[in-house]
């Protein structure tokens, strides 16, 4: 289920973005990317609609997911 990010308290959203950025383990190449920059980039992706906040009832967890991936998974599930 998608949770509209606009309805999430700003501090909670920041904590969610930080948690995701820290666990993501993305390789930024030669240069380390500061956490604040990662969070800012994730926030921009949310605002543009490139990623969504997803709540899993099964796992009782919240994560971020590319919008296209979410849509593909839920289109496939309906077929």
């Amino acid at each position: 289920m998608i949770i509209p990010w606009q309805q999430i308290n700003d501090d909670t959203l920041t904590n969610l973005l930080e948690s995701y950025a820290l666990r993501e383990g993305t390789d930024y190449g030669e240069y380390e990317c500061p956490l604040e920059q990662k969070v800012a980039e994730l926030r921009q992706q949310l605002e543009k609609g490139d990623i969504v906040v997803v709540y899993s009832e099964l796992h009782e967890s919240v994560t971020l997911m590319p919008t296209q991936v979410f849509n593909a998974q839920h289109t496939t599930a309906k077929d």
Side-chain angles (χ1 to χ4, degrees):
M1 162 178 29
I2 292 179
I3 306 295
W5 64 268
Q6 302 91 333
Q7 295 180 9
I8 301 173
N9 173 285
D10 193 54
D11 288 338
T12 302
L13 181 60
T14 298
N15 288 337
L16 173 64
L17 296 175
E18 287 177 354
S19 174
Y20 184 82
L22 289 170
R23 74 173 180 233
E24 185 61 16
T26 304
D27 182 11
Y28 287 88
E30 287 184 44
Y31 304 100
E32 183 60 32
C33 183
L35 179 60
E36 295 79 18
Q37 183 178 345
K38 293 177 189 177
V39 169
E41 290 172 3
L42 288 169
R43 193 176 294 269
Q44 282 182 327
Q45 291 176 34
L46 275 173
E47 292 170 357
K48 288 173 36 182
D50 294 339
I51 60 175
V52 290
V53 178
V54 179
Y55 173 71
S56 168
E57 291 183 59
L58 177 64
H59 299 104
E60 296 182 355
S61 64
V62 176
T63 193
L64 302 177
M65 183 179 289
T67 305
Q68 290 180 335
V69 172
F70 180 85
N71 290 338
Q73 286 180 354
H74 288 80
T75 300
T76 302
K78 292 178 185 176
D79 294 341

